[in-house]
Amino acid sequence: MTPARAETILKSSHLLGIEALSVGEIVSLLDLADTYVALNRSANKKTDLLKGRTLINLFFEASTRTQSSFELAGKRLGADVLNMAVRTSSVSKGETLIDTATTLNAMRPDILVVRHQDSGAAELLSRKLDCCVVNAGDGSHEHPTQALLDALTIRRRGRKFEGLTVAICGDVLHSRVARSNIHLLLKMGARVRLIAPRTLLPGEAERFGVEVFHDMKKGLEGVDVVMMLRLQLERMSGAFVPSTREYFRFYGLDAEKLKLAKPGALVMHPGPMNRGVEIDSTVADDIEVSVIQEQVEMGVAIRMAVLDALSRGLALEGRNSP
Ligand code: CP
């Protein structure tokens, strides 16, 4: 079954973050992604919706889930997909982000998916290029498709956002996943608790409109969803935690601490996981509570929905309409 083409979904020709999206745009993307979950579970996963379109993945940081799911999403929609091997590209000779992106832009892609270590990199490219730009993670700023796939996972588990309490736990300071999820969950009417040591929270975290807890046991009391974050050791220049062992004792999710959440609470993690640091394997692998593998599955559907939505905008603008 091929989902029907309907009206345009996104106001912008780029997806740079959740902050700028309306509730209507988020709900429309989730609804569209639902149709792609069904397609992805069928024997014939391919459509020709994006036939003739070109998608380039430009990842300056490592990725398993995001890059491979954008590749699969593009291919399942019938697009030509190029994965730039940044490490062996002319970036290694000193070519800048802008020069690399404008060079690729000259090859007339329709959509560029970019991950970069600097906050604002995707927004910068969206002003320089004439193709659609999708932010696949920029520094500690935003990771919009992660928040969308998390929302899809929560919604498909039958949870309503209005009145839902979600605890986001761990390295909030360095986490673009946390920022995008905070924006999305608050827009959708959920309550957000941030649980972290003071060293791993941005200054005045309450300004986001969330509740802040430094004691994980208090923060987990009665929550509907526990969203664990990876301790991003690669972004830490100093000692943010005494030791990973100590960190696990106070901020790692194990079966004992999980008992404080509401019975039936969902356990989420964007991956990759540091097992035994922020989450215990007995929780991460317990399919009664953990929806981590579902998050990965929803990632492909959400990225198909995003590519579909952006290509509708291209067709409306009459740019190289297939
Ligand atoms: N969650 C996430 O962005 O994973 P990857 O780094 O593997 O893409």
Side-chain angles (χ1 to χ4, degrees), residues 62-67 115 143 146 270-272:
S63 170
T64 297
R65 283 146 280 265
T66 313
Q67 181 168 338
R115 171 173 285 189
H143 190 351
Q146 179 69 46

Side-chain angles (χ1 to χ4, degrees), residues 12-85:
S12 171
S13 48
H14 309 287
L15 178 64
L16 303 176
I18 298 294
E19 192 173 10
L21 294 184
S22 66
V23 170
E25 287 174 304
I26 293 168
V27 171
S28 296
L29 283 171
L30 299 183
D31 290 346
L32 185 57
D34 265 330
T35 67
Y36 285 118
V37 175
L39 182 75
N40 289 336
R41 288 178 180 177
S42 69
N44 181 6
K45 299 169 177 59
K46 257 189 111 97
T47 76
D48 58 2
L49 214 59
L50 266 63
K51 187 159 180 267
R53 297 289 186 198
T54 301
L55 164 73
I56 298 183
N57 275 326
L58 179 62
F59 279 58
F60 288 84
E61 285 188 329
S63 170
T64 297
R65 283 146 280 265
T66 313
Q67 181 168 338
S68 55
S69 57
F70 267 115
E71 180 179 357
L72 277 179
K75 286 179 173 169
R76 287 182 184 172
L77 292 172
D80 294 315
V81 181
L82 171 71
N83 291 312
M84 267 304 295

Side-chain angles (χ1 to χ4, degrees), residues 57-299:
N57 275 326
L58 179 62
F59 279 58
F60 288 84
E61 285 188 329
S63 170
T64 297
R65 283 146 280 265
T66 313
Q67 181 168 338
S68 55
S69 57
F70 267 115
E71 180 179 357
L72 277 179
K75 286 179 173 169
R76 287 182 184 172
L77 292 172
D80 294 315
V81 181
L82 171 71
N83 291 312
M84 267 304 295
V86 168
R87 215 169 302 152
T88 53
S89 74
S90 290
V91 170
S92 65
K93 302 174 200 163
E95 192 158 46
T96 64
L97 164 67
I98 298 280
D99 283 343
T100 303
T102 50
T103 299
L104 294 172
N105 188 53
M107 299 177 196
R108 303 193 63 79
D110 299 286
I111 302 175
L112 181 77
V113 178
V114 63
R115 171 173 285 189
H116 196 273
Q117 59 277 12
D118 292 339
S119 299
E123 201 268 334
L124 176 68
L125 293 187
S126 73
R127 287 191 271 113
K128 302 270 182 198
L129 311 180
D130 55 16
C131 61
C132 303
V133 174
V134 180
N135 181 5
D138 61 329
S140 56
H141 176 230
E142 280 232 36
H143 190 351
T145 55
Q146 179 69 46
L148 287 164
L149 75 87
D150 290 340
L152 184 64
T153 307
I154 292 170
R155 199 176 78 161
R156 288 182 65 91
R157 278 295 184 127
R159 308 304 197 269
K160 301 251 181 298
F161 293 107
E162 197 65 47
L164 196 78
T165 303
V166 180
I168 301 179
C169 315
D171 186 358
V172 179
L173 181 67
H174 300 102
S175 178
R176 52 199 178 207
V177 173
R179 267 167 200 71
S180 289
N181 265 301
I182 291 168
H183 287 308
L184 189 148
L185 291 164
L186 293 179
K187 277 177 200 278
M188 300 298 287
R191 293 171 55 184
V192 177
R193 296 182 186 176
L194 299 182
I195 305 174
R198 287 175 208 283
T199 50
L200 292 178
L201 273 174
E204 301 170 36
E206 288 92 345
R207 74 182 189 279
F208 293 118
V210 299
E211 288 178 275
V212 171
F213 293 82
H214 302 298
D215 180 337
M216 189 175 187
K217 291 183 177 166
K218 285 208 175 99
L220 286 179
E221 272 172 22
V223 300
D224 300 285
V225 177
V226 185
M227 198 176 274
M228 299 306 299
L229 299 173
R230 183 171 68 87
L231 196 58
Q232 297 194 31
L233 296 164
E234 77 279 14
R235 293 192 206 277
M236 297 182 190
S237 46
F240 284 77
V241 292
S243 70
T244 51
R245 208 176 136 154
E246 188 88 337
Y247 181 80
F248 180 73
R249 195 170 142 224
F250 290 103
Y251 294 100
L253 185 68
D254 58 16
E256 223 26 60
K257 292 196 193 93
L258 184 60
K259 281 183 193 155
L260 297 163
K262 199 177 269 182
L266 304 178
V267 172
M268 307 181 76
H269 193 303
M273 288 181 275
N274 294 309
R275 289 171 182 268
V277 177
E278 69 262 357
I279 191 163
D280 191 69
S281 286
T282 55
V283 176
D285 299 335
D286 179 355
I287 55 168
E288 295 297 318
V289 295
S290 167
V291 293
I292 294 169
Q293 293 310 315
E294 282 169 49
Q295 289 173 265
V296 177
E297 182 187 2
M298 296 309 127

